[in-house]
Amino acid sequence: MAVITGGAGGLGQAFARRLLGEGWHVVLIDLPAALEAVPETGAGVERIACDVTDEASVARVCAEISARHPALGLVIHNAGVTQIGLFSETTLASQRRVMEINYFGSVGVAAGLLGAVRAGRGTHLAISSVAGFAPLYKRTAYAASKHALNGFFSSLASEEAEHGVRVAIAAPSFVATNPGRLDAGADGIGRPGAAADGFDEMGPDRAAGIILDGWRRGRSFIPVGRVATLGWLITRLSPRLYSWLMMRKIRP
């Protein structure tokens, strides 16, 4: 039994297709309008509408899932947004909004499903980003939220190991889930995987395959793509070099 937040998005749907093909039962969690836009996929799928920034709603939904499925094998923390813009042009409210979705949304779901994942000796699989371990131009809120996500789940791993629970973090460089459909508001918050300055572009199905393969291999950290892998190595050796390379690549 697997739960996928952001389940109506491109990467969430790619995860669902692969898991369903392997015989998993899948619960998709997303906003109501997003779920309505997803075609019916037949048996083996549950759809649950939930705004991950609504603490009471998250707690209720997680309690319902745990009651129906008391032992979970996999929870994919995939819900998220991007924000593109210089910090000088953003607001504190928009910075908080990104954190509420990308970080606290995952923390709330992890808390609500903690017991069920322990019962299933399952895995929390967090979908982070290269921006979770390195800087990214014009993405202060996004990078901060992904750094926080990495810190939370890597720390959770040390606590949950005694319960037979695994924690894995995936770090894609750029998954093109919404090409040309950023739909950003005045605050710069928009759909993930739609940035015009994305590089090392990868489709969601390929990314999902790499991530799930890494999870099956027992990896706790899964860089997704050539840039993510090289970026991880370079930031360990020379953060200054990574920053120079990143700015050279994406700064206009």
Side-chain angles (χ1 to χ4, degrees):
M1 175 71 191
V3 175
I4 306 171
T5 68
L11 188 55
Q13 285 290 289
F15 282 130
R17 285 192 296 270
R18 285 182 172 269
L19 292 171
L20 285 167
E22 297 168 9
W24 285 72
H25 186 96
V26 176
V27 176
L28 305 177
I29 297 176
D30 214 315
L31 295 170
L35 288 174
E36 289 173 3
V38 175
E40 291 291 338
T41 50
V45 179
E46 295 180 41
R47 304 174 183 219
I48 301 181
C50 179
D51 182 343
V52 295
T53 68
D54 184 333
E55 187 175 344
S57 179
V58 169
R60 174 181 54 77
V61 163
C62 288
E64 292 174 357
I65 292 172
S66 298
R68 291 198 301 273
H69 310 286
L72 297 175
L74 179 64
V75 177
I76 303 179
H77 301 272
N78 175 62
V81 294
T82 191
Q83 184 189 42
I84 303 175
L86 297 170
F87 175 64
S88 60
E89 300 170 354
T90 64
T91 64
L92 290 179
S94 67
Q95 294 267 333
R96 289 193 182 96
R97 178 66 177 166
V98 174
M99 289 295 291
E100 286 290 339
I101 298 170
N102 292 3
Y103 173 67
F104 285 108
S106 292
V107 172
V109 171
L113 298 178
L114 198 68
V117 177
R118 286 179 177 179
R121 300 176 74 84
T123 301
H124 292 279
L125 174 54
I127 308 305
S128 183
S129 164
V130 169
F133 61 78
L136 187 57
Y137 181 66
K138 296 178 74 173
R139 309 292 203 287
T140 52
Y142 180 76
S145 70
K146 294 300 186 179
H147 271 71
L149 197 72
N150 284 17
F152 172 77
F153 279 104
S154 61
S155 298
L156 183 68
S158 61
E159 298 179 15
E160 291 300 293
E162 66 180 274
H163 300 284
V165 171
R166 286 178 49 209
V167 175
I169 299 171
S173 49
F174 184 71
V175 182
T177 51
N178 292 289
R181 299 173 59 236
L182 181 63
D183 297 338
D187 55 9
I189 297 175
R191 298 173 186 266
D197 59 0
F199 55 92
D200 192 29
E201 183 175 305
M202 180 182 298
D205 189 65
R206 182 178 170 217
I210 292 171
I211 293 168
L212 291 175
D213 182 64
W215 161 63
R216 290 189 189 94
R217 291 172 180 267
R219 298 174 65 182
S220 59
F221 180 74
I222 308 164
V224 183
R226 180 177 57 87
V227 168
T229 301
L230 290 174
W232 175 250
L233 295 173
I234 293 171
T235 53
R236 305 279 72 77
L237 297 172
S238 175
R240 181 178 294 183
L241 175 60
Y242 178 88
S243 293
W244 180 80
L245 291 169
M246 179 270 298
M247 292 293 283
R248 183 184 178 190
K249 181 66 179 178
I250 70 173
R251 185 171 181 174

